[in-house]
Each structure stands twice: as C-alpha cells, then as structure tokens.
Amino acid sequence: MTSRSLFSVFLFALGLFIATASVRAGGDDWRPVDPAHLAMKTSVVERDADAEAIFWEVRVLDELDGNGPRTVLRHYVRIKVFTERGKESQSKIDIPYLGDNRITDIAGRTIKPDGTIVELKKDAVFDRTIVKVSGLKVKAKTFAMPGVEPGAIVEYRWREVRNDHISNYLRLNFQRDIPVQSVKYYIKPLKIDLSYKTVGMTARTFHGEPTPFVKEKDGFHSTTMTNVPAFREEPRMPPEFESRTWMLIFYSLDEVLPPDKFWPKHGKRVYEANKESMKVNDEVKKAAASIIGDASTPEQKLERLFEFCRLKIKNVNDDASGLSAEDRKKVKENKVPSDTLKRGMGTGTDIDMLFAALATAAGFEARVATLADRGDTFFDPTFPDSYFMSTFDIAVRVGDEWRFYDPASRYVPFGMLRWQEEGQYALISDPKEPAFVKTPLSPPNKSVKKRSATLRLSEDGSLEGDVRIEYTGHFGVEQKEYNDDDTAEEREQTLRDLIKEQMSTAEVSNIRIENVDDPQKPFVHSFHIRVQGYAQRTGKRLFLQPAFFHKGIGPIFTTSERKHPIYFHFPWMEEDHVTIELPEGYALDNADSPDSFAVQTMSKYDVRIAVTKDGRTLDYKRNFFFGGSTVVLFPNTSYSSLKRVFDEIHQRDNHTITLKQSAAAASQD
C-alpha cells in the first residue's frame, strides 16, 4: 500500500477529516457592495480589461454524506463589468467540472450601476459540454446572468463537490479567464500525531510566487494572492496545470529527503508493493508457454503475450467492457495474476500485472515503471514526492534496453504507450537500484490520418462523392475513446457537426463508422458528401481548391505574439488522396502545384497535382508529417518560426486552380 492510501486510511479511521457541513463560504447572505466598486471605470490589475473579479473566495471543507467523506469547495466570486465585450463574456457563465464531481447550490445576482438588483432564477441553470481551446471536452454548469450591462457587478457562488473522497493532496487554482484583484482560500489544516511523527500541512505554489498562510478564527488558515492576471488559453499550449498559477496542498508521511535520496527509496518501495501482484506460479508458466507458441524472437513473444492480455482479459473498469455498475460490484478481487487468468477479467492494474507475470514466466525481466501524465503536468524530478507519478506501465528488458507496455489501455497498439506517457521519464522499480529511463516518443508514421475522396464537380460548383478517413496510432486511440460510449446516432451527429463546422453547406449521408471498439483495426469514418458552392464560378471559370480535406479550416496560429510554449501532443502524419471528376466542357486553365518543402528532419510537406490523360479527372495527393525530430514542446521564442511553417502550409492547402469552360460548351449554356 502506498503512503498516499495509508494516509487516507489513517484519516478516515481517526475521524480527523470531518468538519461541519453547515459552514458557508461568505455565509448564506450576499455581502454588501462597496459604492467605490460600483463606481469603478477601469481595471486595477490589467489595463483595458473588459471585466475584472473584485474578489474570489473559496472555503475548503470536508463533509459527510450518504456515500462517505467528500472534499467540498464553496466558491464566491464578485465581478465588475467595464465594457460591452465584458458584458458579453460575463453574461453567460460556465462552471466546468470533471468526472463524477458535482456543482450544486448555484446562486447569483446582478447589481446594476444604479443599485438595482436582479436575481438569478433557479431554473436558469443547465448542463452542457464545452470544448476548450486545447480541444479538451468538459462538462459544465451553465447559466445566463440577468440584466448585465457595462458598469454592473455580477456575483455568484456555488458548491463544488470533489468525489475523490478525501485525499492528502488538494489542488487550488488561482487564475480565472479575467484578472482578479484578490483570490483567497480558507483551509482548516490537519495535524496528525502518530506514534513516530507529527504530520502537518505543506503547500507548494506552481507558476507563481508562494503566498503565506495566515491564521483565522475557527481553526482555519487563509492564503491570499492579489492582482492575479487573467489566464488565457492559446492553441497548442501545454496543459493548464503546467501554465496556470496554482497551489498544491499536501500531507506526507514520508520523511523529507532530497530528490537523489527520495526517488531510489520510492522505487524500492514500489517494487516491494507490487511483488506479490506479479507472482508467477505453474498456471502462469503454462499459460505463457501456450500463448507464445512458435514465436521465436523477443518481439514476437512479447507481442503475443501483450495481445492476449489486451484481447482476452476483460477490463472491468473500461466502459467498453459492457459491464454495468451492478456487474462491477459483483466482480471478485484478483489477488495474484493466476486469478486474473482464471477469471478472464480484472482491473487495468490486474491486466498489466498479468502481462508482467507472463513476461517473467517467459524468461524476461519485468518491472513496474511509474511515471507522470504529461497531459496534466510535466514531471519535475526535483520535487521529491510521488504525487505526480500518477500512472504506471510495465517495463521489460530486451537485450540492453527497457521497453514499455500497457495492455490495459485497450486501444493503444503494441509498442506504443498513451501519448500522455510517451517521452516521459519513468522510474523503473527495483529491489536494489531503481532508475529513471525515458520512454520513447512514437515517430510520425505510427499516428496517421489517411484520407481519401472520390468526388465529382458540377458546373454550378457543387462537389459530391464518397469519403473515407482512417485513424491509426494516437489518432485512433483518441477517436475510439471519444466514441466508444456513444450511441450510433450520437457518433453520426458528432461527425455531421464536425463537417458542418468546416463546410457549412455540406450534406452528409450514408455514414459508416467502423472499428469503434476494435483494439487492432483502424478507426474509420466513411460517408457520402455533397457540398453546394464548393467551387466559385465566375463567368466561364471555376476556381477550385483541390485540398478538399482542408477546405474551410483556418490557420492554427492567428496571433502575432505568444505567451505560452507551443505543445504538440505527439508526432503525426497525414496522407490525403483526392480525385475530382471535372464537369463536362471544362479544362484546366491553371493547375500548378504548390511547392513542397521540408524543415530539416522535423517536418515535410509534399503535394502532387496531376490530371488524367483524357483531361477529365484531377488527381491530388498530399503528404505531411511533423515531429520527425521527436520534439513536441517548443519555447515561445520559437513561435514566429513555427507560425511561419504552419502559415505556409495553410496557404498551400488553400491553393486554388482554375478550370475554364470551352467555347463550344459555353455556347450551349
């Protein structure tokens, strides 16, 4: 058992985490409004801000409900609106939440410049899904604040219930999408007296200056940040917790050690904690020999073991398993790998441990490797705590190198990890000498969008035909995880929405979505499409963009300056093949191809445009890859160079050719 779970057991058993549930953030009543705030004309924190939070206060409590203890944050925010843009941005409020966390007890009101108060109605709150600039989809409670106008104050409060039970780690955010004059958190620190030590609260601030805690009444302590600038999302930026100002509150049973002492100790502890879960017995040995069969090379042997665990053992935690919540409650705990083998099902951890045991039985050296999730934060080995090492894979030694596997991730191909775990330092557990080893980053040809279209162009500029798109590697994983718990109708609607967003006049039919939950085959979209007015007709000419799959897509980077680093999740490749049958009586008037170009080994863009011998069909091929140098994170000082590359690609994707109507055809019109 890890120190984290041990700590939670201590807290629960001792009853030290339960505080009164009746304490309210700022009380049940609204605070009086300072006339000076109503009279404010401009922002205090950022010049020309359209709106600014006067204060944002949060009281952190631990409460009991029917399901046990929960961490609850009671928020209260007051915002001053300065401009019409501020009115627009603050009239509609989204309060995001993740997983099975909950947002409750929302209340709000608007105070107009003349002091008139308009209350938020209870039935004005509803649920929706929002998509952030980063592409992350999250659930949110949404409501429209009534009567907002420039000069008004809007304020609202809500209760955030984090259903991860009570943990000895808590993240506190200090930035909003508008500047904040004052952010204040109230926390009641715990002080655990054990027989061998006293455990107190520790705080660490990330991406900002640390602020002290001040003792308040009723056992609470507070910490305050003032003049906090707005957090603004940018395309292709690092994860929010790698960019925002935030604080980690934690309690640790471990003695404070420097990093060079802490990580070896932690690696040994992980090895001991998982030794029994990787136990090899006669059943496991027999199964390993049967699964490997006539495989002769290490790669063949490991691939067969990997695919057996991925395909034959049902992951009870996976939505694609088909198990209901009631079914999951009935599943027995697997204590050793042979239990998982016998029952044919288990948790993701059980599946990975079975793979490790089978690999060991086959003569390989296998270890648990813990690592951070770079979709959340970037690992910093100078922080001597295991909190950020939130995931694990199985490391297997092949020759002189360690290779990494995760058969519990159903859609991740053999030889790859989830993109969040590639290019990361993994701590390989060992009873004597744990070591950090960097996981490889899959090259571009492992994650491919392969798109083909057979189309026919009409004289009026309409384009119609059949389309097929295959997603492999990380693209395939993303598509399958996004779609596998949706109904067939929801999947089709998602596709229609994406196409309509790109080409508003598109009509889509005959949709087929293949291999949604198939671990091995590519995820496939295929459909029939008709796009009215795709080509522009002027007199006797049609102006056509042959890069069909890029029609209507804007540039990736639009601003001249950049604050955050540029972050691509993984290297990738795109392969497009489009054939367009030209309308009768039209011939190419200008059909030059955009030039190809490469950026050293990092990227290459290549386009070929040709026409069949009879002049009736245009053949367009486009190949592009990025990340050939296995670099996915770039400092903001590289922004202008990267922007030029992608602007050039965007310009070439929008390359237009001209079709001219023959005189004979024109005379017949």
Side-chain angles (χ1 to χ4, degrees):
M1 183 178 292
T2 65
S3 61
R4 194 180 314 177
S5 58
L6 275 170
F7 189 78
S8 297
V9 170
F10 273 124
L11 296 178
F12 188 81
L14 294 173
L16 295 173
F17 237 33
I18 310 306
T20 176
S22 62
V23 181
R24 298 286 178 181
D28 288 327
D29 297 326
W30 299 108
R31 296 188 193 175
V33 176
D34 188 337
H37 290 156
L38 266 179
M40 282 175 60
K41 301 296 182 185
T42 57
S43 168
V44 173
V45 181
E46 291 183 1
R47 181 185 298 179
D48 300 328
D50 298 308
E52 178 174 275
I54 297 169
F55 64 77
W56 173 23
E57 294 189 359
V58 187
R59 189 172 294 263
V60 182
L61 300 167
D62 300 299
E63 300 182 354
L64 273 178
D65 63 16
N67 297 316
R70 295 290 186 269
T71 300
V72 177
L73 290 80
R74 297 185 179 274
H75 300 255
Y76 183 5
V77 61
R78 176 174 288 172
I79 297 169
K80 174 70 178 185
V81 177
F82 300 115
T83 67
E84 286 292 335
R85 284 197 301 266
K87 168 190 170 182
E88 182 179 348
S89 67
Q90 300 307 310
S91 291
K92 187 175 182 181
I93 308 300
D94 288 316
I95 303 177
Y97 60 99
L98 298 174
D100 60 351
N101 293 348
R102 292 180 290 130
I103 303 295
T104 65
D105 300 349
I106 295 173
R109 65 176 188 165
T110 300
I111 303 99
K112 295 191 173 186
D114 63 1
T116 303
I117 296 175
V118 187
E119 298 282 347
L120 173 69
K121 294 182 179 180
K122 297 291 185 184
D123 59 3
V125 181
F126 60 95
D127 289 281
R128 77 182 186 108
T129 298
I130 59 176
V131 181
K132 297 191 175 186
V133 172
S134 62
L136 177 68
K137 285 181 60 175
V138 296
K139 294 179 291 185
K141 289 288 185 180
T142 298
F143 50 94
M145 292 298 296
V148 181
E149 60 184 88
I153 285 176
V154 298
E155 60 180 358
Y156 45 94
R157 59 188 182 226
W158 70 97
R159 181 172 175 265
E160 176 188 355
V161 182
R162 296 188 180 178
N163 284 326
D164 53 358
H165 297 282
I166 291 170
S167 171
N168 51 319
Y169 293 88
L170 179 67
R171 298 187 185 193
L172 306 180
N173 181 25
F174 282 86
Q175 282 189 288
R176 301 181 68 86
D177 58 0
I178 57 173
V180 187
Q181 292 183 22
S182 173
V183 185
K184 191 170 187 176
Y185 279 90
Y186 293 87
I187 299 175
K188 184 176 288 187
L190 300 168
K191 191 172 183 181
I192 313 302
D193 293 314
L194 303 176
S195 59
Y196 59 95
K197 69 180 298 185
T198 298
V199 181
M201 185 182 81
T202 304
R204 173 160 173 169
T205 302
F206 294 84
H207 316 299
E209 294 298 322
T211 57
F213 275 85
V214 177
K215 190 173 183 180
E216 303 278 353
K217 61 181 180 180
D218 299 326
F220 282 88
H221 286 65
S222 68
T223 185
T224 305
M225 284 190 188
T226 58
N227 298 329
V228 181
F231 175 77
R232 296 180 177 88
E233 289 191 82
E234 294 176 323
R236 306 282 183 166
M237 62 175 285
E240 287 189 29
F241 284 104
E242 193 59 35
S243 307
R244 285 183 182 269
T245 299
W246 65 286
M247 181 183 290
L248 180 66
I249 303 295
F250 61 103
Y251 304 80
S252 178
L253 292 176
D254 295 320
E255 59 180 315
V256 178
L257 294 173
D260 62 332
K261 301 292 185 183
F262 173 81
W263 292 116
K265 180 179 179 180
H266 179 67
K268 294 175 183 178
R269 186 166 51 200
V270 170
Y271 176 84
E272 291 299 326
N274 291 285
K275 186 167 58 175
E276 187 69 15
S277 300
M278 299 168 60
K279 186 177 180 180
V280 175
N281 61 14
D282 290 341
E283 294 173 75
V284 172
K285 290 178 182 178
K286 183 178 179 181
S290 175
I291 295 165
I292 289 172
D294 60 356
S296 56
T297 68
E299 289 76 12
Q300 291 173 338
K301 294 176 181 179
L302 288 170
E303 184 170 8
R304 291 189 182 183
L305 296 176
F306 177 90
E307 295 298 352
F308 173 85
C309 293
R310 183 165 68 142
L311 301 176
K312 301 300 183 182
I313 307 298
K314 183 178 292 187
N315 189 336
V316 299
N317 294 333
D318 194 330
D319 291 336
S321 67
L323 295 175
S324 66
E326 288 301 316
D327 291 335
R328 290 189 177 97
K329 290 180 182 178
K330 298 175 184 177
V331 173
K332 294 182 179 180
E333 179 185 0
N334 295 326
K335 296 182 179 181
V336 291
S338 57
D339 291 342
T340 307
L341 192 63
K342 180 169 55 180
R343 292 169 181 151
M345 65 174 63
T347 64
T349 299
D350 293 339
I351 293 172
D352 281 345
M353 292 304 182
L354 173 60
F355 172 74
L358 290 169
T360 302
F364 294 96
E365 184 181 357
R367 295 282 188 271
V368 169
T370 59
L371 61 167
D373 180 339
R374 64 178 175 89
D376 176 44
T377 55
F378 299 156
F379 176 59
D380 179 6
T382 66
F383 179 48
D385 191 277
S386 62
Y387 171 68
F388 291 108
M389 305 293 272
S390 57
T391 185
F392 77 88
D393 295 314
I394 301 302
V396 179
R397 188 185 289 278
V398 179
D400 294 331
E401 66 176 0
W402 288 100
R403 299 185 186 177
F404 299 88
Y405 305 93
D406 181 19
S409 294
R410 177 175 173 83
Y411 303 131
V412 177
F414 175 77
M416 299 176 68
L417 299 175
R418 296 187 311 126
W419 71 258
Q420 295 91 335
E421 298 168 347
E422 292 192 339
Q424 287 279 78
Y425 277 103
L427 180 63
I428 298 178
S429 62
D430 190 81
K432 296 180 179 179
E433 296 184 2
F436 279 110
V437 175
K438 196 168 187 179
T439 61
L441 200 65
S442 295
N445 63 359
K446 291 292 186 180
S447 299
V448 182
K449 286 183 185 177
K450 186 176 182 180
R451 300 173 284 211
S452 62
T454 304
L455 307 167
R456 183 177 65 257
L457 182 66
S458 301
E459 289 184 37
D460 64 359
S462 297
L463 193 68
E464 185 171 2
D466 296 314
V467 175
R468 180 180 175 86
I469 307 173
E470 294 185 5
Y471 303 85
T472 61
H474 295 310
F475 286 130
V477 174
E478 288 181 341
Q479 289 291 338
K480 291 175 182 179
E481 289 182 343
Y482 189 95
N483 285 272
D484 67 359
D485 57 351
D486 286 350
T487 64
E489 292 76 15
E490 288 171 333
R491 294 167 191 161
E492 291 188 10
Q493 190 58 49
T494 296
L495 177 60
R496 284 193 174 94
D497 291 344
L498 287 172
I499 295 171
K500 292 287 284 187
E501 184 179 349
Q502 183 178 341
M503 292 178 276
S504 60
T505 62
E507 300 171 12
V508 182
S509 59
N510 298 337
I511 294 175
R512 290 184 60 191
I513 302 176
E514 304 171 24
N515 310 324
V516 175
D517 57 0
D518 191 306
Q520 295 178 301
K521 295 180 181 178
F523 180 93
V524 178
H525 280 140
S526 62
F527 51 90
H528 186 83
I529 190 169
R530 185 177 187 277
V531 186
Q532 186 176 355
Y534 181 90
Q536 289 72 51
R537 179 167 179 169
T538 303
K540 297 180 181 180
R541 286 178 170 81
L542 281 170
F543 298 94
L544 172 70
Q545 178 182 337
F548 169 77
F549 293 105
H550 302 275
K551 178 75 170 179
I553 295 179
I556 293 177
F557 304 113
T558 57
T559 60
S560 58
E561 296 181 351
R562 176 90 176 195
K563 177 181 178 181
H564 299 293
I566 304 92
Y567 183 46
F568 300 91
H569 290 168
F570 50 85
W572 79 96
M573 180 177 289
E574 300 169 7
E575 297 178 356
D576 298 344
H577 187 196
V578 180
T579 61
I580 303 175
E581 181 183 335
L582 305 180
E584 190 73 33
Y586 280 80
L588 295 176
D589 185 42
N590 175 17
D592 59 314
S593 296
D595 293 334
S596 301
F597 72 93
V599 183
Q600 298 177 351
T601 61
M602 181 177 69
S603 177
K604 185 177 181 180
Y605 177 90
D606 183 67
V607 169
R608 296 285 184 270
I609 300 178
V611 66
T612 54
K613 290 182 179 180
D614 61 4
R616 299 287 296 116
T617 303
L618 188 75
D619 190 83
Y620 173 88
K621 293 181 179 178
R622 174 188 183 273
N623 289 280
F624 170 70
F625 75 81
F626 187 88
S629 55
T630 65
V631 176
V632 293
L633 179 66
F634 300 85
N636 58 6
T637 53
S638 300
Y639 178 61
S640 59
S641 299
L642 281 169
K643 185 177 186 302
R644 281 196 299 271
V645 170
F646 283 94
D647 283 351
E648 190 65 38
I649 293 170
H650 179 256
Q651 180 181 342
R652 298 181 192 207
D653 285 343
N654 280 271
H655 177 76
T656 301
I657 64 173
T658 306
L659 306 176
K660 186 177 180 180
Q661 190 178 30
S662 66
S667 65
Q668 296 174 4
D669 288 347

